[in-house]
Amino acid sequence: QVQLVESGGGLVQAGGSLRLSCAASGRIFSISVMGWYRQAPGNERELVAIASGGTTNYADSVKGRFTISRDNAKNTVYLQMNSLKPDDTAVYYCNAGVRSSSRSGPLNYWGQGTQVTVSS
């Protein structure tokens, strides 16, 4: 019913920048929270940044380097990543809490993931 499509991943040298985008489509009444998670090989999926009701929160490891923003009119969330480090290498996943009608509660949706690779 709801699809999240990410774009913007790729290969970048350490110190470089990338901007990820995630657009939600389908049966959408409202979106409460949108965020980004990442998973590196052999590691658990971890929170990178979330945006909800005008409030943003970041993992300590990305504070001051990454910025999350939303375009609510487009149901899109962005992640601007600056000063990238090799440790940022991971598959980045978009996440959203979506209500499909005024009578339904929010359901959690994930994107398919986009690879970010930072070379040293």
Side-chain angles (χ1 to χ4, degrees):
Q1 289 186 335
V2 175
Q3 299 79 39
L4 302 181
V5 178
E6 300 126 334
S7 60
L11 173 64
V12 65
Q13 289 187 332
S17 298
L18 284 174
R19 188 189 193 213
L20 305 183
S21 299
C22 171
S25 63
R27 189 175 178 183
I28 299 172
F29 174 75
S30 65
I31 302 177
S32 55
V33 61
M34 298 189 83
W36 292 94
Y37 292 71
R38 68 187 181 186
Q39 187 168 18
N43 291 354
E44 294 185 352
R45 191 172 297 188
E46 63 176 4
L47 172 69
V48 176
I50 56 172
S52 176
T55 300
T56 58
N57 286 284
Y58 297 91
D60 288 342
S61 60
V62 306
K63 283 181 181 177
R65 299 188 298 121
F66 291 10
T67 301
I68 188 170
S69 60
R70 288 175 61 171
D71 184 335
N72 292 327
K74 297 181 179 180
N75 292 326
T76 299
V77 63
Y78 305 95
L79 186 67
Q80 178 66 44
M81 304 185 293
N82 299 328
S83 303
L84 282 161
K85 306 174 181 180
D87 284 349
D88 295 318
T89 295
V91 177
Y92 284 69
Y93 296 92
C94 175
N95 176 265
V98 180
R99 295 177 67 192
S100 293
S101 74
S102 60
R103 296 186 300 271
S104 64
L107 294 179
N108 200 36
Y109 292 91
W110 291 93
Q112 80 285 357
T114 185
Q115 177 70 46
V116 171
T117 303
V118 184
S119 62
S120 58

